[in-house]
Amino acid sequence: MSRSPVASARLTSSVPLLAPRPPLFLALIAHLLLLGYALFVFTRGFLLSRIALPDVSSCSNSPVPGSWPSPPSSQSSSAPVGCWSSRPPPYKHALILLVDALRFDFTLYDPSLSEPIPPYRNKLPIMQHLLDTQPRRALRYQFLADPPTTTLQRLKALSTGTLPTFIDAGSNFGGSSILEDSWLTQAALANRSASFVGDDTWLSLFPDVFRLSHPYPSLNVWDLHTVDEGVLAHLPSMMESKEDTILLGHFLGVDHCGHRHGPSHPAMAAKLKQMNTVLTDILASIDNDTIVFIFGDHGMDGKGDHGGDSRSELEAALFIYSGRDLDERGEEFDHLLRDMDQQRSHRSVAQVDLVPTLAMALGLPIPFGSLGSIIPEI
Ligand SMILES: [Zn+2]
């Protein structure tokens, strides 16, 4: 059957409509390429990323060649010589007590405050008591975190002295192990042991470095006590053994209390009072070869949350207690103390400053990627 001329004409005119239109197809390809390029720029540039350096510091590899004494192995004297320092290591042991989310103002004590005061104020009097009664052994600082103020990123910064990135923030609840140089790496290289009890995040970051470890689950923020009770169960015997150069205890109750109730809740008062009792007992048993660092990894906002860069989230507390007087540096230290008294304000140090300070206190090389400064009073 032959088509009518009209039908043939319709068919002929419809053929160009079914064929691909080159300009539209090219526009689609160009759009996809542009999208891919934008995604590449976003992931590589907008979101900060960084390269983890594989380098590891060593005593024999001074950062400033010629300006430091020879490493201990080449010293003729039998006296111990610190790494990168002309003086012996100041301490044999470091006790690190991380009170998660210990905001700076939680550690203040002012009996002249009139009621009503917030539930978190005046509940940790032990720190002010030691600052008043043993000013040459105790120091307190605002301990400033770099955002993001999340525990995993803070632990990386506090152990390696580096700055975390926002890509890291996405992995807060599933941290992979740290391969960069840290004070735990340095202790292991020097055949000095470290043990740990508390928040199990440390084990995901450092799965192989601890002589003893007692990890407790960290993700149930409604649980205010399990991790803290675990620390209290093991820490006394670990301290007594004196086998470790570094002993690490990570309390989590204050942080979880913030998440569950916020800081302005009677439960926070009770938790801080418990911490006060714990710290009082521990600090009473410190010998003169030990230095104690008690600090928060971040603060918390008015609702008890953290992660951002508000002042209340960034301002954690650092309390340092030495088993012996810190005045061995003589006039310089006295001058510094006088200055601090005159200023009547609290000194601030960066959280990354813990890394070189701890390393030098123990006579270890400062981890390779460390960006902080040594706290001069130590
Ligand atoms: Zn938290």
Side-chain angles (χ1 to χ4, degrees), residues 101-109 120-121 124 127-128 131 139-144 296 298-300 311-319 345-348:
L102 184 66
R103 204 168 73 186
F104 180 71
D105 56 347
F106 292 178
T107 68
L108 300 177
Y109 181 74
Y120 54 80
R121 280 303 306 268
L124 272 172
M127 295 186 183
Q128 190 60 51
L131 287 164
L139 297 159
R140 179 174 55 197
Y141 306 91
Q142 283 179 329
F143 199 37
L144 301 181
H298 51 73
M300 63 176 70
R311 198 174 154 186
S312 57
E313 291 165 276
L314 298 179
E315 288 182 354
L318 168 64
F319 183 80
S345 60
H346 304 286
R347 267 192 70 199
S348 296

Side-chain angles (χ1 to χ4, degrees), residues 100-101 151 221 252 255-256 259 298 304 306:
D100 207 293
T151 293
V221 296
L252 207 47
D255 176 75
H256 284 189
H259 286 298
H298 51 73
H306 57 90

Side-chain angles (χ1 to χ4, degrees), residues 98 100-101 150-153 155 171-175 196-205 214-228 230-231 250-260 297-298 306:
L98 205 169
D100 207 293
T150 43
T151 293
L152 179 71
Q153 281 64 42
L155 297 192
S171 58
N172 185 40
F173 299 115
F196 148 79
V197 57
D199 182 336
D200 61 2
T201 307
W202 283 96
L203 265 200
S204 64
L205 297 177
H214 300 286
Y216 289 87
S218 57
L219 294 183
N220 181 9
V221 296
W222 285 75
D223 180 354
L224 309 189
H225 303 298
T226 299
V227 176
D228 291 355
V231 177
H250 187 152
F251 296 94
L252 207 47
V254 172
D255 176 75
H256 284 189
C257 190
H259 286 298
R260 182 169 176 179
D297 52 341
H298 51 73
H306 57 90

